[in-house]
Amino acid sequence: MNIDLSIDLLKTFAAVAEEGSFTRAGELRHVTQSAVSMQMKRLEENLGCALFMKKGRVMELTPAGETLLRHGNRILSAHRDAVAAFSHPELMGSIRFGCAEDYTHQFLSAVLAGFRKAFPSIRVDIRSAPGVELYRMLQSDELDLCLLESMPRESISVSPGTKIAADPLSCYHAISEGGLVVHREPVVWTASRSGGAHMQKPLPLAVYHEGCLFRAMALEGLQRAGIEYWISVVSPSIASILAAVKAGLAVAPVGASMLDNTLKTLGPEQGFPLLPFSEVRLHRAPSANTPIVDCFTDYVVDAFGKA
């Protein structure tokens, strides 16, 4: 059986799987919808099985499609590493990268593993700090790249009674308008599945330091809803905040990707206000216009695309 798993076919297949549409996949791949359809038909004929099933207007993967996507992502990742290594074999130097702790354990290991293999001569210096601090480091040329959480500008409207930091909003406006959006997810209230912290009055909260946008938005939402609260846990660490929530000590506003099966979400049905979506943006320093930064950017974008 002669199976053709060319890189071109796999890239188109991955685009359809991501977009759920031949038309949008064609836009990503810069080909027509009919070309995408023909490629996927050829791939299915090669493999002898259906890869997609239509649900309404969306193309969903069949079990065989899910299997191919797992293998295809590994093949495409290895191909990208090989191309990068031979495209810039001479690259040497270092890159200064800032990342909030929320994403260091989720995505950074995948980024660094592939990048290290492709570019063993490039040193990656990592800084983890609150978003406002990372942004200021970027502006003062202490970082080349940084990942920052933001929210759509229309969501950034804090009442006079909510403390968030000295003159923070100008920074948050800039964060929310610049950079490349690599990830988007809802911010949710979370509590322990086995605890009752969410029913306590006043409500115990676990939040980040003052200056954190999640904290500001959460307090603003509670104030608007007329919910009394007290801040029982303050930490710069997402691990510490989640530990407090899992222990039943508090409720916290977190990105939905932080949840596991020990936690539950809280919404309007439990009396909690809806929170805005969070965007993760990759920001680049004005002076960081180098092939090294370009390559590392590709790895970061790819890691979030597979999340």
Side-chain angles (χ1 to χ4, degrees):
M1 185 177 182
N2 185 21
I3 295 178
D4 177 14
L5 288 179
S6 71
I7 295 299
D8 191 51
L9 284 179
L10 287 176
K11 284 182 177 180
T12 302
F13 168 74
V16 177
E18 178 181 349
E19 296 295 327
S21 162
F22 284 2
T23 301
R24 290 197 298 273
E27 292 170 356
L28 282 180
R29 299 281 290 135
H30 305 292
V31 297
T32 64
Q33 183 271 341
S34 59
V36 172
S37 181
M38 289 175 62
Q39 284 187 315
M40 294 303 93
K41 182 178 179 182
R42 187 173 66 178
L43 186 57
E44 289 181 329
E45 289 175 348
N46 258 302
L47 295 172
C49 59
L51 299 174
F52 300 98
M53 53 186 173
K54 195 162 185 179
K55 279 198 174 181
R57 297 183 179 180
V58 178
M59 302 297 294
E60 293 191 353
L61 292 174
T62 63
E66 295 280 2
T67 298
L68 179 61
L69 185 62
R70 288 196 302 273
H71 292 291
N73 280 337
R74 288 199 294 269
I75 293 170
L76 291 173
S77 179
H79 177 264
R80 183 206 61 220
D81 291 346
V83 169
F86 284 95
S87 298
H88 303 284
E90 76 290 351
L91 284 186
M92 298 179 67
S94 63
I95 183 167
R96 301 163 302 170
F97 179 62
C99 182
E101 192 227 352
D102 297 32
Y103 296 101
T104 53
H105 70 285
Q106 279 188 296
F107 302 104
L108 206 51
S109 59
V111 173
L112 295 178
F115 191 78
R116 178 72 175 173
K117 288 179 183 177
F119 303 103
S121 299
I122 297 177
R123 188 184 74 196
V124 182
D125 297 328
I126 300 170
R127 300 289 182 270
S128 182
V132 172
E133 183 178 337
L134 290 175
Y135 187 74
R136 288 174 180 154
M137 290 174 68
L138 190 80
Q139 295 302 303
S140 61
D141 202 30
E142 297 173 58
L143 293 174
D144 300 307
L145 283 172
C146 66
L147 278 175
L148 299 173
E149 287 175 330
S150 68
M151 293 182 185
R153 182 167 182 150
E154 60 270 17
S155 299
I156 305 175
S157 174
V158 179
S159 67
T162 304
K163 293 183 179 179
I164 141 176
D167 190 27
L169 288 185
S170 59
C171 178
Y172 279 122
H173 286 317
I175 290 173
S176 298
E177 292 180 341
L180 173 67
V181 177
V182 297
H183 185 65
R184 194 169 185 265
E185 67 177 349
V187 180
V188 298
W189 298 100
T190 187
S192 168
R193 285 192 178 275
S194 58
H198 61 291
M199 295 184 290
Q200 295 181 26
K201 294 182 181 180
L203 182 73
L205 290 180
V207 292
Y208 290 112
H209 46 80
E210 285 194 14
C212 169
L213 190 56
F214 276 29
R215 169 176 169 151
M217 294 302 103
L219 300 191
E220 171 74 2
L222 293 176
Q223 288 175 5
R224 288 185 183 276
I227 298 174
E228 292 186 11
Y229 62 87
W230 65 288
I231 296 175
S232 64
V233 178
V234 178
S235 174
S237 165
I238 183 63
S240 297
I241 288 174
L242 290 178
V245 173
K246 291 178 182 182
L249 300 178
V251 170
V254 300
S257 63
M258 299 292 139
L259 302 178
D260 61 27
N261 58 12
T262 68
L263 299 170
K264 63 183 177 184
T265 60
L266 306 167
E269 59 274 16
Q270 289 87 24
F272 283 78
L274 290 174
L275 295 172
F277 266 71
S278 166
E279 294 175 340
V280 180
R281 291 175 179 254
L282 183 63
H283 294 256
R284 181 191 292 227
S287 61
N289 188 22
T290 67
I292 291 177
V293 177
D294 291 341
C295 290
F296 195 79
T297 296
D298 290 341
Y299 276 79
V300 173
V301 173
D302 184 67
F304 275 94
K306 293 175 181 175

